[in-house]
Structures are given as C-alpha cells and as structure tokens.
Amino acid sequence: MNTQKRATLKEVARLAGVSYQTVSKVLNGQVQLPAATEARIWEAVHALNYTPNHTARSLRSRRSRTIAYCWAPTATGQANPILDELLQSMVQAAEQHGYYLLCFPNLPDPDRQREAYRELIDSGRVDGFILSSVEYEDPRILYLMERRFPFVAFGRSNPEYQFPSIDIDGGMGMLKVVRHLVERGHRRIAALTWPPESRVGANRISGFLQGLIEADIPPVPEWMERGEGVQSFGYQATLRLLKLPEAMRPTAIVAFNDAMALGAVRAAQHLGYRVGSDIAVTGFDDTPIARYTLPPLTSVRQPIWEVGERLVNRLIALLDHPEISSPYCELIEPELIIRASSTGEETPLDQDHPYLYP
C-alpha cells in the first residue's frame, strides 16, 4: 500500500520561490510568465511529483472541470477528418486548462436529446457544452438558451438566436472558388451542394451565387445538383452534368465538400475527360486526401485546429467571467488552396498542412 503523502500546491510554490496563486495560474494556463520562472515552477512540479486534487478543486470552485461536446456521428464506413481534427484540438486545449472533454452523440430523437442535456446539467457533471453540426431551429440551442446554461457552438443557426459561436465563412470560401474559376475563363459553372435545409449549404450557396453575380453569369437550375455530401452522389451528379448537350455542358464543377469532389473527379475521368484541362473540379475542406488525388484537388482549407482551440478558450472565458461575456459570432475566413484539378498544372505537395498533427 502506497502511503506516500501527496505534495501540495504550497510546497510546489515554496520550492519554486513563487506564490501558490502563481503556481495555480500556470497549471491552469491562466498566466504568462518569464520563461525562466515558468521553467522553475514546472521543475518543482516534477521534482515533487505533484498532481492536482481535482475532487477538492471541484468542491471549492463548484465546478466539475468537464466540458461536454455533442456531435453528429458519421455513418458507418464514412470518415469525417474535419470533426476528427476538431475533437483532437479541443481535447488538447481543454487539458491545457485543466479540463476534461466528455463526448456524447447528438441523438436524432428530440425528447431523448433533451433528456440527455437535462441529466448532464441537473447532475452537475459538466460546466458547459460545445456544439457542432449546428442547423436551423436547432433544439439543442433552444434548450440551452432556455436553461441559461453556458455553451459555445461551432456554427450559426437562426439569425434571431443570440448565442456565442465560432464559424467558418463558407460563403467567402465559395466566393473565392468562383472568382478563381472565372479568372481561368470559366462561365459555365455547376455546383454539387446539399439539400435546402442544410444551414452550412445555404451559407456556401450564398457565396457561390455572389460569385456568379459579380461575373454577370446567370444561375442555371440544371447546373445545381442537391444531395448527400458523399462520393457516390458526386459521381452520379457529375455523370448527369457531363451528359448534357454540349452547349449546356458545364466546364467547371464546384463541390461543397471534398467527398463530392472526389466522386466528380472519378466520373469525369470515367467519361474520358482530363480533369483540370477539359473540366475543372474543386472541393471544400481540404481533407488530407486532397493533396494525393490524381490530379491533386483544389479545395478550401478551414483552420479547424484553430477553431477547436478557440471554442474551448471561449467557453472557459464564459465560465470564468459570465458577467462580461456577450453573445456574438466570431467568423473566420478560410483559404483557397489551388491545385491541378482546376488549373491542369502540376503543383508540389504542401509542406505545412493542418492535418499533420503536432
């Protein structure tokens, strides 16, 4: 039986020659000190084998030191590298603040979903929530606003809902894509997008249409294909588009995610088109596979790792200072990564890429 006495925060502070409040702030990532001072504190932590007493801390602060993250599970056999990266960045950011991340699925049944939130709140198991895959009329947002319980969302919802959120400006991303294609001489531009009820899809369509308006290109209903954002839909939709009469056949296809774009590339190649030369194809998300397709895929890169960190930091700031936190949406502009699928020109592999985890 191990009877070794647990080191205390004050003992760490005494050995490091600082106050115990300073040690606490360093361990929770709440202060920046000179490098030498911080190194001395961490040396004392390791020398004394200090571990925080989370139970005592929670009792004093009346916090669980746990953040709940609710996400929409991916269908069996499909990967979602965007949400995977978001999860990894949030876990790392939470740990830096001394928090844990509790993950649970977004249940399709509204009553069961509401009950899951109610139980987590009423039991005191979590201090706040982070939401993703946010849609219009999102019942999670309505419930948390009704309960006045702290949360931050990755994504916007109805304009009249006022809540803290961080989102990627998908409309700006699509506007950059259309401008790029117009500069390459394209005027017959088709889009592979999601169903009308998709909030993210609506945001990206707004940028797509804005780009057409800027270039004085009238939208053509036959060039707008709506469906699930998977490769099979992108493949079938592109076959339909490329079998239109020559005068009505698009010369460029923008897909609202990389999965649909990969299906579009495969369909064009199946029909004998040279992607990048005969027809341009672009994606959105810049998932890892985008660099390794043949040809490499032009895509819109989202700073997902940064978003995950900001979500955690924003929620913890809300928990620490609820009296000064005001609801607003922080909008982040994505970056267009141009590769051969829209130019026909060979491009080198990216050396720095957000999916190469540290």
Side-chain angles (χ1 to χ4, degrees):
M1 181 177 176
N2 184 6
T3 58
Q4 183 176 356
K5 181 176 175 291
R6 177 195 291 266
T8 67
L9 198 67
K10 289 185 178 180
E11 289 172 337
V12 173
R14 191 179 305 115
L15 181 60
V18 297
S19 69
Y20 74 89
Q21 294 97 331
T22 298
V23 175
S24 177
K25 289 178 180 179
V26 167
L27 296 181
N28 290 311
Q30 297 173 338
V31 68
Q32 286 188 328
L33 299 175
T37 304
E38 189 163 335
R40 199 165 66 247
I41 291 171
W42 285 110
E43 286 174 4
V45 167
H46 296 311
L48 296 175
N49 196 26
Y50 172 76
T51 56
N53 187 332
H54 291 288
T55 301
R57 178 193 293 177
S58 296
L59 289 172
R60 287 194 301 270
S61 65
R62 296 185 179 179
R63 289 192 190 177
S64 66
R65 309 296 296 185
T66 301
I67 296 169
Y69 168 54
C70 176
W71 89 106
T74 304
T76 303
Q78 296 181 21
N80 193 331
I82 295 298
L83 290 185
D84 287 348
E85 183 180 7
L86 179 70
L87 177 60
Q88 292 200 42
S89 66
M90 290 193 300
V91 167
Q92 186 176 101
E95 287 178 348
Q96 289 173 351
H97 288 282
Y99 278 77
Y100 293 97
L101 202 66
L102 171 67
C103 300
F104 68 105
N106 182 13
L107 301 171
D109 183 340
D111 291 334
R112 290 182 60 204
Q113 182 183 90
R114 187 182 182 94
E115 180 61 22
Y117 278 80
R118 186 203 62 76
E119 195 277 332
L120 286 171
I121 293 172
D122 292 348
S123 66
R125 291 180 62 193
V126 301
D127 298 325
F129 291 89
I130 294 176
L131 312 181
S132 65
S133 304
V134 175
E135 291 293 350
Y136 295 122
E137 308 291 338
D138 197 306
R140 301 171 299 170
I141 290 173
L142 290 170
Y143 182 68
L144 291 173
M145 290 174 64
E146 176 188 311
R147 290 293 305 264
R148 298 181 181 275
F149 199 78
F151 76 98
V152 175
F154 178 22
R156 293 162 283 173
S157 185
N158 300 42
E160 65 270 21
Y161 295 172
Q162 296 296 309
F163 61 92
S165 65
I166 298 173
D167 202 6
I168 303 295
D169 191 347
M172 175 55 69
M174 291 308 304
L175 177 58
K176 290 180 177 183
V177 169
V178 176
R179 285 173 174 170
H180 163 65
L181 293 173
V182 170
E183 288 174 0
R184 302 286 305 181
H186 295 281
R187 296 190 63 80
R188 297 189 302 213
I189 305 173
L192 308 182
T193 181
W194 292 304
E197 62 271 17
S198 169
R199 194 271 313 170
V200 176
N203 178 228
R204 294 181 187 179
I205 285 175
S206 67
F208 173 74
L209 295 176
Q210 182 182 344
L212 296 184
I213 292 170
E214 279 188 3
D216 197 26
I217 300 173
V220 177
E222 291 83 356
W223 294 345
M224 186 77 74
E225 292 274 354
R226 292 183 181 271
E228 295 303 316
V230 295
Q231 291 187 34
S232 58
F233 169 72
Y235 181 86
Q236 295 298 332
T238 300
L239 290 181
R240 290 191 293 271
L241 289 167
L242 296 183
K243 289 179 180 178
L244 290 171
E246 185 174 356
M248 280 292 294
R249 194 177 303 153
T251 63
I253 297 175
V254 303
F256 281 29
N257 68 9
D258 285 352
M260 290 189 286
L262 294 177
V265 168
R266 182 70 185 91
Q269 292 171 337
H270 176 77
L271 294 176
Y273 288 84
R274 294 172 299 168
V275 175
S277 301
D278 300 330
I279 183 152
V281 176
T282 67
F284 201 111
D285 290 336
D286 197 35
T287 48
I289 194 65
R291 294 181 297 160
Y292 298 104
T293 60
L294 292 174
L297 183 66
T298 291
S299 189
V300 177
R301 178 179 294 174
Q302 305 187 71
I304 294 298
W305 193 275
E306 177 187 350
V307 169
E309 292 177 333
R310 290 193 187 190
L311 285 166
V312 171
N313 293 338
R314 181 90 177 271
L315 180 58
I316 291 175
L318 182 63
L319 295 171
D320 289 341
H321 305 287
E323 73 285 354
I324 62 172
S325 297
S326 57
Y328 69 97
C329 176
E330 182 180 351
L331 206 55
I332 300 176
E333 185 173 318
E335 179 185 6
L336 177 63
I337 307 298
I338 299 172
R339 300 190 180 97
S341 72
S342 64
T343 66
E345 303 165 1
E346 290 298 325
T347 52
L349 290 177
D350 302 275
Q351 295 303 312
D352 297 313
H353 193 274
Y355 294 93
L356 298 179
Y357 300 116

